[in-house]
Amino acid sequence: MTHPGLVDVLGAAGRIRGHVARTPLVASRTLSSGRGPVFLKLETRQVTGSFKLRGATNAVWMLDPASASRGVVAASTGNHARALAHAARARGLRCVVCMSALVPANKVDAVRALGSDIRIVGQSQDDAQAEVDRLVAAEGLSPVPPFDDARVIAGQGTIALDILEDCPEVTTLLVPLSGGGLAGGIAMAARAVRPAIRVIGVSMERGAAMAASLRTGEPVAVRECPTLADSLGGGIGIPNRHTFALARAGLDDVVLLTEPEIAAGIRHAYRQEQEIVEGAGAVGIAALLSGKVRVDGPTVLVLSGRNIDMALHQRIVAGDWHPDADLPVEETP
Ligand SMILES: *Cc1c(COP(=O)(O)O)cnc(C)c1O
């Protein structure tokens, strides 16, 4: 299996330029204090509210004309769906998004508003994926998976090129980690340019499938749990083609956070940096605040997205969010 490499990331950068925002890298005074310079890569300001537009845009523009004319399809819990809907519309393609009934209403509405055709199927990501497979076979739609796809990984890897251009002295990257398209793509591209760079994946303690897989030495499934970092939920796909290998080769460490730590990250982003960040996007800040990661040289945190329910956000930043009351209690098996 050949995995995407720097050449693919450079190709993606050229392809997506003009279709995605060149997001800012800003210094964080509050996080730098006592620590050495810390910078925030604001993919929160990306069009559609997350970095996922990069990978989706690269995939959409790589389709040959015949495939493009039949359209694209994905199963997604939200941000990838928004991104794919937007990217498909930019090229004038049909887009179908399959979601389980568990996806929050604000996310469903946002994708529908971008003009894609929504299919709500079943109670799990697996049910949504089965509908994708059916549409690929029945209607010839092209699947664009959210992370385990060479075109998508190359698109996400373009974030590393931006960071190295804006902050050539960077020594450590903190990157949110779920399926590993983001962290795998960034680690691969950053290491190709700067072999000594440290790349740390950050996820939540409960239900982190990539962390469990890296520990086990092969892709494994974990039970999904409710979390503030809802964009980090879900499995890594078994079989996994690319992201497990890229994460294993490219990540120096994986750090796992509790729900109160993630809430503290969201709160800090808002109160100290004036940024609205969703749980998944706040894990880099949360990792530093928790003391679970030590950094010395210049450090960049990837703030991956901002798509959070605003009523929930308001409660978190007001200090009126309590994990016991606000996350469904776990059933004992
Ligand atoms: C999808 C997503 C992630 C995780 O990306 P993976 O490629 O699945 O690891 C992190 N943050 C946000 C906001 C996302 O939408």
Side-chain angles (χ1 to χ4, degrees):
M1 177 80 56
T2 51
H3 301 301
L6 183 61
V7 170
D8 303 292
V9 178
L10 292 168
R15 213 170 278 120
I16 70 178
R17 189 170 297 133
H19 293 290
V20 308
R22 176 68 165 80
T23 54
L25 186 77
V26 300
S28 166
R29 197 181 41 77
T30 56
L31 292 168
S32 300
S33 168
R35 212 180 251 121
V38 172
F39 301 88
L40 310 177
K41 175 61 171 168
L42 297 181
E43 286 296 300
T44 44
R45 311 266 186 94
Q46 188 53 265
V47 184
T48 72
S50 84
F51 72 91
K52 287 221 170 59
L53 189 62
R54 294 173 183 257
T57 298
N58 190 44
V60 158
W61 289 95
M62 282 186 80
L63 290 173
D64 62 67
S67 306
S69 71
R70 291 188 296 270
V72 292
V73 60
S76 167
T77 56
N79 282 338
H80 176 62
R82 280 185 202 215
L84 187 63
H86 183 93
R89 189 155 76 170
R91 196 177 166 184
L93 312 187
R94 176 180 180 213
C95 176
V96 180
V97 171
C98 306
M99 296 183 180
S100 87
L102 302 180
V103 177
N106 67 319
K107 296 206 165 190
V108 178
D109 293 344
V111 177
R112 189 171 284 127
L114 288 166
S116 73
D117 173 1
I118 311 265
R119 308 271 166 99
I120 305 281
V121 271
Q123 293 292 318
S124 73
Q125 189 68 2
D126 287 348
D127 295 338
Q129 188 55 48
E131 178 68 3
V132 170
D133 297 342
R134 195 189 68 71
L135 287 165
V136 170
E139 300 181 26
L141 293 169
S142 290
V144 179
F147 55 88
D148 197 21
D149 178 283
R151 303 162 299 178
V152 169
I153 295 163
Q156 321 307 30
T158 61
I159 294 169
L161 303 182
D162 285 6
I163 292 171
L164 289 167
E165 190 174 306
D166 292 348
C167 182
E169 66 277 18
V170 62
T171 60
T172 305
L173 301 174
L174 264 60
V175 188
L177 175 65
S178 176
L182 177 66
I186 287 180
M188 171 268 287
R191 263 176 214 296
V193 178
R194 184 78 60 74
I197 201 162
R198 256 174 99 211
V199 187
I200 298 171
V202 191
S203 201
M204 64 288 181
E205 267 183 5
R206 305 188 309 170
M210 184 61 89
S213 301
L214 291 170
R215 233 174 9 246
T216 310
E218 62 180 4
V220 293
V222 298
R223 197 155 61 92
E224 275 200 57
C225 298
T227 169
L228 284 178
D230 56 324
S231 294
L232 301 184
I236 69 164
I238 300 174
N240 178 286
R241 287 189 299 169
H242 301 293
T243 59
F244 175 71
L246 290 172
R248 185 153 64 172
L251 296 181
D252 294 282
D253 203 356
V254 175
V255 173
L256 302 179
L257 301 171
T258 65
E259 296 300 312
E261 286 167 345
I262 295 169
I266 294 172
R267 201 152 47 229
H268 184 95
Y270 185 73
R271 290 191 185 162
Q272 307 295 332
E273 311 289 344
Q274 289 84 42
E275 285 294 321
I276 293 169
V277 184
E278 63 175 281
V283 296
I285 295 177
L288 282 190
L289 294 176
S290 72
K292 287 178 173 169
V293 181
R294 281 210 181 291
V295 297
D296 24 29
T299 299
V300 172
L301 317 181
V302 177
L303 272 53
S304 52
R306 66 158 183 250
N307 293 321
I308 184 170
D309 178 86
M310 285 311 291
L312 172 62
H313 186 268
Q314 207 162 9
R315 280 192 287 133
I316 293 169
V317 299
D320 188 22
W321 175 88
H322 307 284
D324 297 339
D326 291 324
L327 286 173
V329 179
E330 266 191 78
E331 296 149 39
T332 39

